[in-house]
Amino acid sequence: MKMPKFKVIYDKPTCIGAASCVAVAPKFWELVGDKAELVGATFNEATKKFELIVETPEDIQLNQDAEAVCPVAAIKVEKISD
Ligand code: SF4
């Protein structure tokens, strides 16, 4: 069965270091200094945002949880394929 792919998009300048994402999804989110880092993400020069493709239901859910708790909406999880 083919899994849908999702892209996690992180706008680092928006982050206020609240660490809510780190609390719910430490597998993906770490606090470094006063900003979160999305582990394994690549920087998209065009959009100036960090991006990471996630495919397993667990990894998608973890990042959707992070998206839900971020107080400044710095994290977006978008479906990119079925
Ligand atoms: S929850 Fe949002 S504001 Fe808080 S550390 Fe994570 S990305 Fe930054």
Side-chain angles (χ1 to χ4, degrees):
M1 194 181 85
K2 202 167 175 293
M3 299 276 193
K5 286 186 186 178
F6 284 71
K7 187 191 280 181
V8 185
I9 302 164
Y10 172 43
D11 183 21
K12 192 170 183 178
T14 301
C15 174
I16 56 168
S20 313
C21 57
V22 180
V24 298
K27 178 179 175 183
F28 288 98
W29 297 91
E30 290 178 353
L31 202 64
V32 179
D34 60 356
K35 298 275 188 185
E37 282 189 9
L38 176 54
V39 176
T42 54
F43 187 67
N44 183 326
E45 282 291 344
T47 63
K48 304 295 180 197
K49 293 176 183 175
F50 287 88
E51 298 179 348
L52 181 70
I53 305 298
V54 286
E55 296 183 57
T56 71
E58 292 80 9
D59 289 353
I60 293 162
Q61 185 64 55
L62 283 171
N63 283 290
Q64 286 174 332
D65 290 347
E67 176 184 34
V69 296
C70 179
V72 291
I75 302 167
K76 297 264 181 283
V77 181
E78 292 179 2
K79 193 174 186 181
I80 56 169
S81 78
D82 286 313

